[in-house]
Amino acid sequence: MRRGALVVLWAVAAMLVVLLVALPISLQTHLVAGLVVVACMIVLKFFRAQGVWRVIALSLGTAIVLRYVFWRTTSTIPPVTELASFIPAFLLYIAEMYSVMMLFLSLFVVASPMSSRKSPKIDPENLPTVDVFVPSYNEDASLLATTLAAAKAMSYPAEKFTVWLLDDGGTDEKCNSDNAKAAASARARRAELQALCAALDVKYLTRARNLHAKAGNLNNGLEHSTGDLVAVFDADHAPARSFLEETVGFFSTDKNLFLVQTPHFFINPDPLERNLGTFQTMPSENEMFYGIIQRGLDKWDAAFFCGSAAVLRREALQETNGFSGLSITEDCETALELHSRGWSSVYVDKPLIAGLQPETFASFIGQRSRWAQGMMQILRFRFPPLKRGLKFTQRLAYMSSTLFWLFPFSRFCFLLSPLCYLFFSLEIFTASGGEFLAYTFTYMMVNFMMQNYLYGRYRWPWISDLYEYIQTIYLLPAILSVIANPKKPTFKVTSKGESMLESRVSELGMPYFIIFGILLLGVVATGVRVWMEPYKADLTLVTGAWNVLNLIIAGCALGVVSERASRRMSHRVHIDRTCRFLFGDETIEASVRDISVGGARLHVAPSHEPSLKKGALGTLEFMPHADLPTQHMPVEIRKVGMDDKGLLLGCRFMIATPEHHKLVADLVFANADQWSAFQKRRHQDIGVLRGTLWFFMVSLYQTGRGLSYLFGLQRIGMSKPPVPSVASTAK
C-alpha cells in the first residue's frame, strides 16, 4: 500500500514538473526563475548539502534544462523551406539534444555513486590460486623488469600465485619473419626476456602468431594456466604489495562475481597536464572516471573491465571462451558480455597500481582514437540498449559509457555554428538576442552548477571542454571511419616512456593554429557585422560571445600542442623513507625524498659535504617492505646540492642484477597509500567562478606560449600564471 502511494506521488510530481516546464511564461519571468534556481543551487552547494538536498538541487537544475529543451524544440528551429539555414540549425539542435541526453545519463549514473568499498578479509586457509598476466608487445626489458618484480613482490602466499609474462613481441611469426632484421630483433627480444623471467622466477609465454591482439594474447595465457583467478596488469602498470590482499577477498563473498576492478593511477602527467603545468595541482582527467563514474557504474552493477589493474574469475571467462576480441577495446566488451550472462562486478575505489600515460600529444591522440573506435565497434556489434540479458539499469550505464565517445560530433557543431552566422548570415537560431541570452545563459549556468555538483573535486570548470576540443579534430574522422567500416580498426599499442628532447609544436598541432586563426577572424567579423547591421547588434554580440568562448578554449589548446622539453626518462615520486648511505668506510644516516625507477634523491647531514662529490660511487641501504635477499642498491652520485635542511644527493641506480630490480620496485611501488595521498592533495573543488577565472588566465598565457612556439620564440622567458587557492567554494 505504502509503495503504491509513493509511486502515485512520484507520478503526480513528474506531471507537475512537465506542466511547469511547458508553462508559457514571459522572457523576464524565465530569466528570474533561472537565476533563482542558480542561487538556490549555490546556497545548497555552499552548505555542502547531501542526500535529499543534493537531489533537490539537481532536480531544480533539471527543470531549467528541460525548459531550455522545450524552448529550443518549439521556438528556435528555422523552417525546413529555408534549407541553407535549416541544415546547420538542425545539426546544432541534434548536438545540443545529444549533450542533454548525456547529461541525464550522467545524472542517472553518478547522482548518488557507490561509497568506497571496504575489502573483505581473505581466509588464509582457503585462498584461491591466482595467475598474474603481464601482456607485452614492444616494451623495453627494463620497464618489464620493474613491473614483473613488483608483481612477484605482492603480499600473497608464493605457492598460490604465478606471474606470467605474455610476450607478443617474440612470437614464432615474428621470429621467422621474411624481414631478416625484424626476425633477428624478435629472436633477441625473446632470448632477453626469457633470461629476465628466469632470473625473476616468472614464467615466460609467447605464441605462434599475433592473432586478435591483446585479447588473443590473454586467451593464450588462459590456455596455459590453471589459476582460479586471473589478475591483469599492463606492461607499465606496477602493482603495490597489497593489490591481491585488497581484491581477492571479494570473490569469496560473492560466487557470482566475475570482476574486481581498481583505478589506474599514473605517476606522470598526460600531454595536457605536462604542457599546461597542472599535474601537481589539478585532478587528472582519468580521476573523474575512476573517482566518480566507475563508482556510479558500480552502484548499478555495471563497473567494467578497464584492461589492467583488475582480477577476473576464470570460471566466468571460460563461459565466454576467454576475453572478447570482436572490438579493439576487449576489456569493456568482455565485461558487457559477462554482465549480460548474469555475472556481477565490483569496483574498489583505491589506487593499487602505478602506471605511465602517453608522453606526447601524438601518442595521446592515438590512444584515445583506439578507445573511441573500440566503443563504436561495441555499439555496432553488441549494441548495449538491446543486449539480451542486461538489466535496464545496466543498459543505461553502458549507453552512457559508449555514447560518450560521440562527443566529437557535438563539439564540432558547437565550434562551427557561430561561424555560420558571423561569416554567412545563416540563421542558426530563430530567436532574438534577448531570448538567446535569457534561455541559453541560464541553461549554461545551471549546467555548470550541475557538473560542479557531480564532479567538483575531480574536474575543474572548462577542463572537460578543453579535453574534448583537443580530441575532436582527430577523433571525428576516426569515428567516421569505423562507422563506415566497423571491422577496419586494428589494435595499436600506446607508446609509453617517451622523452621530449626539445620544445616544439606537436606534429599534429598545425590544425589547432589554423582553427584559432579562423575563430580570430570570427571576432573581426563580429565587429564588422555590429557596425554594418546595428539593428541586429544584440544577436550578433551574443553569437560573437559564443565564438569568443570557443576562441578561449582554442587558445588554451595551442599550449597543449606546444610540447615542453622533458629529458627525464623516468618520473619521480615523492616519498619519505629512512635509509643509510654507505660511502667507502662511512655509514651516513639519510632519507629518501623522491624516487624513480632510475634513481633517488637523498637528504643527508651537511657535515659530509666535502667527501660526497659528483661521480662518486656508494650504496643505498634500506629495509624493504618485502622479504628480499638483499638490502643494498649500488648508486652513483650525479648531483650534489643544498637546501635549508641539509645536503641533497641526486643518485643514479647502478642496476646489474634481478635483485636490484626488486629493490627498485619495493622503493617505488610497494606502498599504495602514497598514491591515495597524492590524489587527495589534488581533490579540491575550485568552484565555478574561481575555476572560470583561472581557466581564462591559463588560456591567455597558453595562447601566447603556443604562438611563441609556432614562430620559434619559445626560448623567451614567460612566467607561469598563478595557480589559484583551491579552498572549497560554492561559487
Side-chain angles (χ1 to χ4, degrees):
M1 183 71 178
R2 184 185 176 193
R3 185 175 181 181
L6 285 174
V7 171
V8 171
L9 182 62
W10 278 109
V12 172
M15 292 176 62
L16 288 174
V17 168
V18 171
L19 288 173
L20 288 172
V21 167
L23 188 68
I25 58 176
S26 67
L27 187 64
Q28 294 82 359
T29 303
H30 172 81
L31 181 60
V32 170
L35 294 176
V36 168
V37 167
V38 171
C40 290
M41 295 180 73
I42 290 175
V43 170
L44 291 172
K45 185 68 174 11
F46 180 80
F47 288 104
R48 302 172 185 256
Q50 297 297 323
V52 67
W53 292 105
R54 173 184 167 93
V55 174
I56 288 173
L58 294 174
S59 300
L60 288 171
T62 299
I64 296 298
V65 172
L66 290 175
R67 273 206 62 83
Y68 176 78
V69 169
F70 182 78
W71 171 72
R72 281 288 281 125
T73 304
T74 60
S75 306
T76 64
I77 302 176
V80 70
T81 53
E82 301 175 11
L83 205 58
S85 293
F86 176 79
I87 291 176
F90 186 70
L91 290 176
L92 174 61
Y93 172 77
I94 294 298
E96 287 192 74
M97 294 307 102
Y98 162 80
S99 297
V100 170
M101 178 187 69
M102 293 309 299
L103 173 63
F104 288 156
L105 283 175
S106 296
L107 282 172
F108 166 75
V109 171
V110 303
S112 182
M114 176 75 75
S115 301
S116 297
R117 295 177 182 268
K118 185 176 181 181
S119 300
K121 292 183 179 179
I122 58 177
D123 180 5
E125 302 299 324
N126 189 28
L127 290 177
T129 54
V130 183
D131 285 309
V132 180
F133 290 167
V134 181
S136 171
Y137 184 72
N138 59 2
E139 294 82 6
D140 289 338
S142 59
L143 185 149
L144 290 169
T146 304
T147 301
L148 294 172
K152 280 292 294 183
M154 287 189 292
S155 182
Y156 204 74
E159 69 278 6
K160 288 288 187 176
F161 79 107
T162 305
V163 179
W164 298 76
L165 175 63
L166 308 181
D167 179 27
D168 246 11
T171 58
D172 296 343
E173 180 181 37
K174 287 181 173 292
C175 290
N176 298 317
S177 170
D178 293 335
N179 184 321
K181 185 176 180 180
S185 176
R187 288 193 295 269
R189 172 187 172 85
R190 179 188 283 192
E192 181 183 20
L193 294 183
Q194 284 177 329
L196 173 66
C197 289
L200 292 174
D201 191 24
V202 168
K203 289 193 175 184
Y204 175 88
L205 181 65
T206 188
R207 52 183 175 148
R209 299 177 60 196
N210 300 82
L211 295 176
H212 304 296
K214 183 179 177 181
N217 195 12
L218 291 171
N219 288 335
N220 185 57
L222 287 175
E223 292 177 10
H224 290 82
S225 59
T226 59
D228 302 316
L229 305 176
V230 174
V232 181
F233 302 113
D234 280 347
D236 60 301
H237 282 187
R241 274 181 51 76
S242 60
F243 182 89
L244 293 179
E245 292 178 326
E246 299 270 8
T247 55
V248 167
F250 288 100
F251 291 93
S252 299
T253 60
D254 184 356
K255 300 300 181 182
N256 200 47
L257 184 67
F258 83 90
L259 168 72
V260 175
Q261 178 66 56
T262 70
H264 293 185
F265 172 81
F266 299 106
I267 61 175
N268 68 312
D270 68 25
L272 184 146
E273 294 171 313
R274 181 168 61 82
N275 295 324
L276 300 191
T278 61
F279 183 61
Q280 296 294 330
T281 55
M282 184 182 75
S284 289
E285 182 203 19
N286 67 297
E287 289 178 45
M288 184 172 105
F289 174 73
Y290 287 109
I292 293 291
I293 295 176
Q294 274 282 50
R295 286 170 49 209
L297 294 172
D298 191 25
K299 178 178 180 178
W300 305 113
D301 191 19
F304 59 84
F305 178 38
C306 298
S308 179
V311 185
L312 301 99
R313 191 188 296 271
R314 179 182 294 271
E315 179 187 351
L317 291 171
Q318 288 174 337
E319 189 173 308
T320 57
N321 295 318
F323 295 88
S324 301
L326 197 57
S327 73
I328 56 175
T329 47
E330 81 296 327
D331 41 18
C332 183
E333 184 188 350
T334 299
L336 173 62
E337 184 61 30
L338 288 169
H339 274 132
S340 72
R341 292 170 180 259
W343 292 90
S344 60
S345 61
V346 157
Y347 175 66
V348 177
D349 183 28
K350 181 179 180 180
L352 298 170
I353 62 98
L356 297 176
Q357 299 189 90
E359 293 281 354
T360 67
F361 184 71
S363 296
F364 173 82
I365 291 297
Q367 180 193 65
R368 300 313 165 93
S369 296
R370 176 169 64 82
W371 293 356
Q373 289 183 320
M375 287 300 193
M376 292 303 100
Q377 287 179 310
I378 290 175
L379 270 177
R380 170 64 178 80
F381 296 127
R382 303 292 187 183
F383 199 58
L386 299 180
K387 178 70 173 173
R388 181 177 298 177
L390 290 179
K391 303 172 188 174
F392 177 71
T393 53
Q394 290 175 321
R395 296 180 195 276
L396 293 178
Y398 274 104
M399 283 176 62
S400 176
S401 299
T402 52
L403 291 176
F404 164 79
W405 290 97
L406 290 172
F407 73 79
F409 292 98
S410 62
R411 183 60 57 182
F412 180 74
C413 288
F414 296 154
L415 188 69
L416 190 64
S417 293
L419 298 178
C420 289
Y421 175 79
L422 296 173
F423 287 159
F424 308 110
S425 299
L426 299 178
E427 193 175 23
I428 55 175
F429 268 82
T430 57
S432 67
E435 290 175 320
F436 188 97
L437 182 64
Y439 279 95
T440 305
F441 177 73
T442 53
Y443 164 69
M444 287 184 62
M445 284 292 295
V446 165
N447 202 326
F448 270 110
M449 285 302 303
M450 293 174 76
Q451 296 287 346
N452 189 245
Y453 260 86
L454 297 175
Y455 308 113
R457 293 194 301 118
Y458 297 88
R459 179 61 53 87
W460 288 3
W462 300 96
I463 296 300
S464 287
D465 300 87
L466 179 60
Y467 269 106
E468 289 184 6
Y469 170 73
I470 63 175
Q471 295 177 78
T472 289
I473 294 172
Y474 289 100
L475 261 59
L476 184 58
I479 292 173
L480 289 173
S481 71
V482 77
I483 291 175
N485 187 354
K487 295 185 178 181
K488 181 180 179 180
T490 56
F491 189 99
K492 295 180 181 178
V493 177
T494 304
S495 299
K496 305 287 180 62
E498 302 162 294
S499 64
M500 294 291 300
L501 299 180
E502 60 180 19
S503 298
R504 62 178 178 84
V505 173
S506 168
E507 61 268 35
L508 302 183
M510 193 51 63
Y512 298 89
F513 290 91
I514 294 173
I515 292 173
F516 179 81
I518 294 173
L519 295 175
L520 204 58
L521 290 176
V523 176
V524 176
T526 301
V528 171
R529 291 185 67 88
V530 169
W531 178 64
M532 295 184 64
E533 301 174 335
Y535 53 91
K536 293 183 179 179
D538 58 344
L539 188 58
T540 301
L541 288 173
V542 169
T543 310
W546 182 2
N547 180 69
V548 168
L549 289 178
N550 287 337
L551 182 69
I552 291 171
I553 296 171
C556 199
L558 300 186
V560 177
V561 300
S562 299
E563 311 261 33
R564 296 181 186 271
S566 177
R567 294 174 175 82
R568 178 171 290 168
M569 291 296 294
S570 55
H571 299 275
R572 295 195 172 275
V573 178
H574 295 287
I575 65 173
D576 188 4
R577 194 159 171 180
T578 302
C579 66
R580 294 196 296 177
F581 186 69
L582 310 182
F583 181 69
D585 296 331
E586 293 186 79
T587 299
I588 305 171
E589 297 298 325
S591 61
V592 182
R593 289 303 175 86
D594 62 49
I595 191 78
S596 74
V597 296
R601 184 175 61 159
L602 309 182
H603 187 276
V604 302
S607 59
H608 298 283
E609 183 177 3
S611 58
L612 299 176
K613 301 295 184 182
K614 181 178 179 180
L617 301 180
T619 301
L620 178 64
E621 181 185 67
F622 66 96
M623 181 61 66
H625 293 290
D627 183 16
L628 299 179
T630 181
Q631 302 174 3
H632 298 85
M633 168 67 73
V635 298
E636 177 190 7
I637 298 177
R638 303 291 293 173
K639 187 176 181 180
V640 180
M642 293 285 294
D643 67 1
D644 56 348
K645 296 182 179 179
L647 188 65
L648 294 174
L649 300 180
C651 300
R652 179 171 67 92
F653 296 142
M654 308 291 286
I655 299 176
T657 68
E659 283 68 29
H660 294 156
H661 285 295
K662 296 176 183 178
L663 288 171
V664 170
D666 192 274
L667 274 170
V668 182
F669 300 108
N671 180 16
D673 292 338
Q674 62 190 343
W675 316 132
S676 298
F678 178 72
Q679 285 186 333
K680 188 175 181 180
R681 290 196 297 270
R682 299 189 301 187
H683 288 172
Q684 300 292 333
D685 185 355
I686 196 175
V688 174
L689 178 58
R690 188 175 299 179
T692 297
L693 294 175
W694 169 81
F695 182 80
F696 288 178
M697 290 172 60
V698 170
S699 176
L700 181 63
Y701 168 74
Q702 295 299 336
T703 300
R705 191 176 72 85
L707 293 174
S708 73
Y709 273 54
L710 180 66
F711 297 113
L713 305 175
Q714 65 265 29
R715 295 186 181 277
I716 297 177
M718 298 179 68
S719 60
K720 288 186 178 182
V723 176
S725 168
V726 290
S728 297
T729 176
K731 297 179 182 179

